[in-house]
Amino acid sequence: MSVGLLSSALRALCLSGSRTWAGPSAAASALVGCRGFMTSVCQLQNRTLWKQREKYTIRPIGMKKTGGRDHTGRIKTHGIGGGHKQRHRIIDFQRLRSEPGKEQPVMVEKVLEVRYDPCRSADIALVAGGNRKRWIIASQNMEAGDLIQSCRGIGRMAVLAQEGDAHPVGALPVGTLIHNLELFPGRGAQYIRAAGTCGVLLRKVSGTAIIQLPSKHQIQVLETCVATVGRVSNVDHNKRIIGKAGTNRWLGIRPSSGRWQRKGGWAGRKIRPLPAMKSYINLPTASARA
Amino acid sequence: MQRIRISASTVTQICKSKDCLGVLIMIPHGRRCLSSSSCLYGKVFPRQKPRVVPEIAGLEPVTYADRMHFVPGLAKPRFPKWERGWKNPNHYESPKPEEMKLFKDKPCYIFNQRTSVVEGVRQALWLSKSAVIKEFPAQILSLAEDPANQIEDQDERVQNAIKSALLWDTTDDQPPRERYCPMLVHRLLHLCGVLQVRHPELAKRMLAEKYNLAATWRRGEDVFQVRGHNGLLLNSMNPLPVLAGPEQIQGTADQELETFFPIAPTIDLQCTNVYQEKSTTGFREGYPCPHAHTLYVMEMGNTPKLLPEQLRAKMIMFCFGNALVRAKALYGDEPRVLEKPIVVQSVATNGRIFQFVVFQLNTMELQSDSGVKNLVWVDEDKPLYEHAQARAHIKRRVVKIPAGLSGYQPETFKKFLALFLHGAT
């Protein structure tokens, strides 16, 4: 075993000069069993290589299904496996992302196509503006040929919001339905992305805005966080009838365990008061301010 | 399974049960659970992130490079990039674009044979500064209607040509499109060449394939190029006669070029900083047939699949490229309005539907959007036949599509022949 380690160390000494240093994200996930102090050759795996593409493209990318298994091969999440083959279309969740080299306060884009996405419940839209095309989450009444705007500034008066346009939350009038909400400015939309969902802008308070999510929870975000106006497309998604077990299998949902489990406190509908409003503002603490 | 190094007092057990397949397991607590198989209690630890080694500027870490073996406590050495010393074509690493010889700061937008522009004909018209007329030019159509220019048994011979390309080639229902499309075009060209007996001018033509076109022009502040293999080109010794008179050309100066905000006209074009500003027809000096006559573009749906709108845009751009390069060869690089406009024709097909484009280059002043424009005649989506199948399509005892060739349109071949004869009669 020691001979093996020595030979692999010598091999690493010869090869490490020619190996270029990959980015930290690639190193963390692609190289398995790599410890900083050992010189053994790290094993590359291609399980997650399909989702490590740095350059954006509208071309759909082939996905590798995991079946609910983790890196050891054991099931981490039950009930996942099989299903129709899917190709991943990279969605741009940052609406205000402008082309490299061309920063504009207002971007206008044209919707080329609205289509089904196998990876999510909402429909996606191919929009083109300037020199580039990208995929975004389609809003409820988006059709091919529409023009959508993405604005960066917050004026004194609230903007008359058109469906599909993206504005900072501070520029929208109170009571608008929004989706694709950012939690932190510039991070990209993380909330309210599922089919037919929408959040409500409840009130605006001194540089922050309070929004009610589809689960009736309320959150407070900075007013420069961008959100899109309207409801997400595919509004009747929750009204669909699966019909048969086979349809669930096509969706990649494996049967759950048939074992009878006594219902305890975990089962059934709960009616309890809403939790306190969560604030994502990151104000400096009292000790830092002082 | 990851190995966890723990104190020496831990008992090491090799699990021999069928489930474990001989995996070495170490139990972290030092206790063995004897009630169930040990493989169920092998604790899975999450993947370790590699240790981040900070780089402190000005401080050189002490490495074990000199010792030639790993020494605990010393840093991992970073060696310079290994150079082979000789050129191995199997292991060639291209330099970065900034280090290449032809790198320029200003980007160039290239239209190549794989380009599929999203705005189609409108974008091609903007790029070539042209105005469109959506009909077949009447002068060329009158050529085809003239009975002196028709082949004996024209319809029957064309139908035989279609059948030989689609039905008589294989015993399958239909040969693949990559096979029957070029075969059909070659058969039709051969049929048109039969008229050489009556029009000796047709002998002064040559067919060329896989020639590299390179045309460069500036539009506004951007540099554009048309590059690559176009298709089948019919060259001729004499240039094509001009189609539009001077009044029509001057009339185009008043027409506005159509823009398509918010999409930029450079979308879908290959943007590159490494390019060479070339203008070549693809043929050397002294080639006997220097004038481009007709370009035959075949769309076989492989690289990539072009919709009819994008196919027409490709035809317009390549006609423009051929005409521009010819104009530069005759009159030099200076932008000017041409006294003798240059005409180039094009026919595109996917095996069944034909598109006809005639391009007339009136001006080389492409920098600004105003002034005289070039002219394009576009005839869209003309099918030559409806169905050509070896086996009939029968549904519920009713023949939906008969076997053999059905729905033949003689008009399409007349236009094809007219474009072929233009300039020779």
Side-chain angles (χ1 to χ4, degrees), chain B residues 388-408:
Chain B
Q389 286 170 244
R391 303 184 68 197
H393 178 64
I394 302 173
K395 205 157 176 190
R396 289 182 181 226
R397 304 229 195 135
V398 174
V399 176
K400 300 277 181 191
I401 302 169
L405 182 64
S406 62
Y408 170 67

Side-chain angles (χ1 to χ4, degrees), chain A residues 117-196:
Chain A
D117 189 8
C119 303
R120 63 199 75 245
S121 54
D123 291 336
I124 53 172
L126 181 64
V127 302
N131 256 332
R132 57 116 190 238
K133 293 193 245 189
R134 56 186 182 154
W135 291 107
I136 60 166
I137 302 276
S139 66
Q140 189 181 2
N141 297 320
M142 219 184 243
E143 277 162 13
D146 290 349
L147 287 176
I148 53 175
Q149 272 196 12
S150 315
C151 306
R152 206 181 286 271
I154 305 175
R156 231 163 41 86
M157 298 254 297
V159 179
L160 185 67
Q162 301 269 341
E163 198 199 306
D165 291 348
H167 295 270
V169 162
L172 294 169
V174 166
T176 39
L177 299 179
I178 54 169
H179 66 273
N180 279 2
L181 176 67
E182 285 186 337
L183 283 185
F184 300 99
R187 175 89 83 92
Q190 284 176 290
Y191 276 39
I192 322 175
R193 296 176 358 185

Side-chain angles (χ1 to χ4, degrees), chain B residues 218-281:
Chain B
R218 275 162 210 273
R219 199 100 165 71
E221 292 149 5
D222 304 310
V223 184
F224 293 93
Q225 280 197 344
V226 171
R227 293 278 219 142
H229 292 313
N230 303 4
L232 202 59
L233 183 67
L234 188 67
N235 285 318
S236 83
M237 291 191 195
N238 311 314
L240 276 167
V242 173
L243 278 176
E247 306 87 30
Q248 200 174 359
I249 298 172
Q250 287 306 316
T252 60
D254 305 321
Q255 289 177 13
E256 289 274 333
L257 269 182
E258 206 185 339
T259 49
F260 24 89
F261 182 78
I263 300 178
T266 48
I267 201 173
D268 279 333
L269 298 179
Q270 179 194 359
C271 180
T272 171
N273 285 68
V274 177
Y275 60 95
Q276 203 180 7
E277 290 199 30
K278 274 201 317 188
S279 284
T280 49
T281 46

Side-chain angles (χ1 to χ4, degrees), chain B residues 11-63:
Chain B
V11 176
T12 312
Q13 273 287 325
I14 297 175
C15 179
K16 289 218 174 63
S17 70
K18 276 187 289 210
D19 311 354
C20 299
L21 302 162
V23 163
L24 184 69
I25 295 169
M26 301 207 185
I27 296 139
H29 311 292
R31 276 173 264 135
R32 282 157 58 197
C33 180
L34 297 168
S35 52
S36 45
S37 60
S38 51
C39 59
L40 294 175
Y41 287 87
K43 190 159 178 191
V44 175
F45 286 83
R47 210 180 279 170
Q48 286 178 2
K49 293 197 177 65
R51 197 179 67 150
V52 179
V53 179
E55 273 218 28
I56 305 166
L59 211 62
E60 269 186 36
V62 180
T63 64

Side-chain angles (χ1 to χ4, degrees), chain A:
Chain A
M1 187 177 91
S2 55
V3 173
L5 276 175
L6 195 64
S7 56
S8 54
L10 282 170
R11 221 181 309 134
L13 277 170
C14 302
L15 288 173
S16 61
S18 60
R19 220 187 306 142
T20 51
W21 185 249
S25 59
S29 42
L31 302 172
V32 166
C34 186
R35 292 171 210 141
F37 54 90
M38 292 278 286
T39 53
S40 54
V41 175
C42 306
Q43 285 141 34
L44 289 162
Q45 53 91 16
N46 65 350
R47 265 169 58 106
T48 49
L49 276 181
W50 67 267
K51 47 182 167 181
Q52 273 155 30
R53 196 194 156 95
E54 283 115 18
K55 193 163 176 219
Y56 183 84
T57 176
I58 56 167
R59 175 179 69 84
I61 295 177
M63 273 166 57
K64 267 190 159 65
K65 287 190 193 247
T66 62
R69 269 84 179 165
D70 64 3
H71 65 287
T72 57
R74 295 194 173 191
I75 295 181
K76 190 84 184 276
T77 309
H78 290 276
I80 300 179
H84 199 285
K85 239 183 184 159
Q86 295 174 344
R87 284 198 293 175
H88 174 66
R89 286 150 182 90
I90 308 177
I91 311 283
D92 194 4
F93 286 109
Q94 274 192 13
R95 275 294 287 270
L96 288 184
R97 198 200 299 262
S98 37
E99 285 175 80
K102 287 188 212 169
E103 295 285 336
Q104 296 151 313
V106 175
M107 291 197 313
V108 184
E109 282 165 313
K110 183 176 168 188
V111 176
L112 296 177
E113 181 195 1
V114 176
R115 61 158 288 158
Y116 170 81
D117 189 8
C119 303
R120 63 199 75 245
S121 54
D123 291 336
I124 53 172
L126 181 64
V127 302
N131 256 332
R132 57 116 190 238
K133 293 193 245 189
R134 56 186 182 154
W135 291 107
I136 60 166
I137 302 276
S139 66
Q140 189 181 2
N141 297 320
M142 219 184 243
E143 277 162 13
D146 290 349
L147 287 176
I148 53 175
Q149 272 196 12
S150 315
C151 306
R152 206 181 286 271
I154 305 175
R156 231 163 41 86
M157 298 254 297
V159 179
L160 185 67
Q162 301 269 341
E163 198 199 306
D165 291 348
H167 295 270
V169 162
L172 294 169
V174 166
T176 39
L177 299 179
I178 54 169
H179 66 273
N180 279 2
L181 176 67
E182 285 186 337
L183 283 185
F184 300 99
R187 175 89 83 92
Q190 284 176 290
Y191 276 39
I192 322 175
R193 296 176 358 185
T197 49
C198 59
V200 183
L201 183 56
L202 291 176
R203 56 186 195 275
K204 294 193 271 192
V205 172
S206 68
T208 65
I210 292 165
I211 292 143
Q212 181 183 301
L213 299 178
S215 55
K216 309 283 192 300
H217 288 214
Q218 296 187 355
I219 56 169
Q220 186 179 26
V221 294
L222 286 170
E223 64 171 8
T224 43
C225 293
V226 173
T228 318
V229 178
R231 287 178 74 178
V232 183
S233 53
N234 202 8
V235 170
D236 294 328
H237 176 71
N238 59 349
K239 298 197 186 86
R240 67 174 176 167
I241 299 171
I242 300 286
K244 56 179 190 178
T247 313
N248 256 341
R249 295 306 297 268
W250 297 336
L251 296 170
I253 302 168
R254 283 187 61 227
S256 45
S257 143
R259 184 179 183 274
W260 177 82
Q261 304 184 17
R262 180 172 299 282
K263 293 205 174 90
W266 56 271
R269 186 182 169 178
K270 307 283 181 303
I271 297 175
R272 53 166 99 97
L274 277 181
M277 184 175 72
K278 176 100 186 182
S279 178
Y280 291 96
I281 298 178
N282 283 346
L283 287 169
T285 52
S287 53
R289 252 181 280 157

